Amino acid sequence: MRLILAILILFSLNLVTFTQNVKQTSDLTSLADRVIRAHGGEKFRKMQSLIIRGTAEVSGSPTATFPATFQMIFSGDKYLLEVNNPFQPFKQVYDGRQTYSSIGNFTLPPINRLGFPLLQRVGENGFVLSELPEKEKKKVGFRITSPEGYHTDFFIDEKTGRVKSYKATYLVGNRTVTTAVEIDKFREIEGVVLPERYFQRFDLGSFTIYSDFRAKEILVNSNIDDKIFSMAP
C-alpha cells in the first residue's frame, strides 16, 4: 500500500510539474505571438530584406561625444554592418558562409543573432523561446536563444505589445560585453513596425559606450544585390 501511495504521489508531482511547464510554454508563446502581431504579424515574420541607414551620436563620457553614420542591411542570413566615424570606421559582412571585418581579427557576434532580428525567428527550428532569467522575472518579456547559443532578453510594453527594450551579453575576444537598448520611437513601413530611434549602451567592463541611433531611411523587402555582401575589403 505504501509503495502504491508513493507512486501515486510521485505521479501527481510529475503531473503538476508537467502542467506548469505546459502553461509556462503556452503563456510565453501567446506573449511572443502578441508581440509579433504588434510589429506587423505575418508581414514582419515574412520580411525578406531590411535596410536601415541613419546617424548616431556616440559618447564614452558626458563630455566626449562624436557623430557617426551607420547602415545595416539584412537579406536572409546575409548581413552588412557599417559604422563611419572620425576615429575608427568599422565594417562587418557575412556572405552566408564567412564573416569579414575591417578591423583585423576583431569581429562582433553575428548581428542577425542578437537583438531585434531574433524576434523574427520565433517558432523556427533551433530558436528557443524561454522565460526571462530570475533577476528579470518581475518584468514582462521573454528570452530568445539562437542555435549558436546567442541570446537576447526582450522586455515588452504591456499596453502596446511592442518591444520597449532588450538586453544581450556576449563575448568579444576574451571580453564580456553587455548591451542594452531602449527604444524611443517606431516607424511603420509597409505594415512592419520597426525601431526608428533607440538608445544603446555597451558595457565593456572597464568602460561604457553610449549611442543615440536615429534611422533616417528604412526600406523593407527591397531588391538587394549580393555584391553588397562581398568579402572584399
Side-chain angles (χ1 to χ4, degrees), residues 1-11:
M1 178 62 73
R2 290 180 179 177
L3 178 59
I4 294 174
L5 182 60
I7 292 173
L8 288 173
I9 291 173
L10 182 60
F11 177 77

Side-chain angles (χ1 to χ4, degrees), residues 62 110 166 169:
Y166 54 86
T169 300

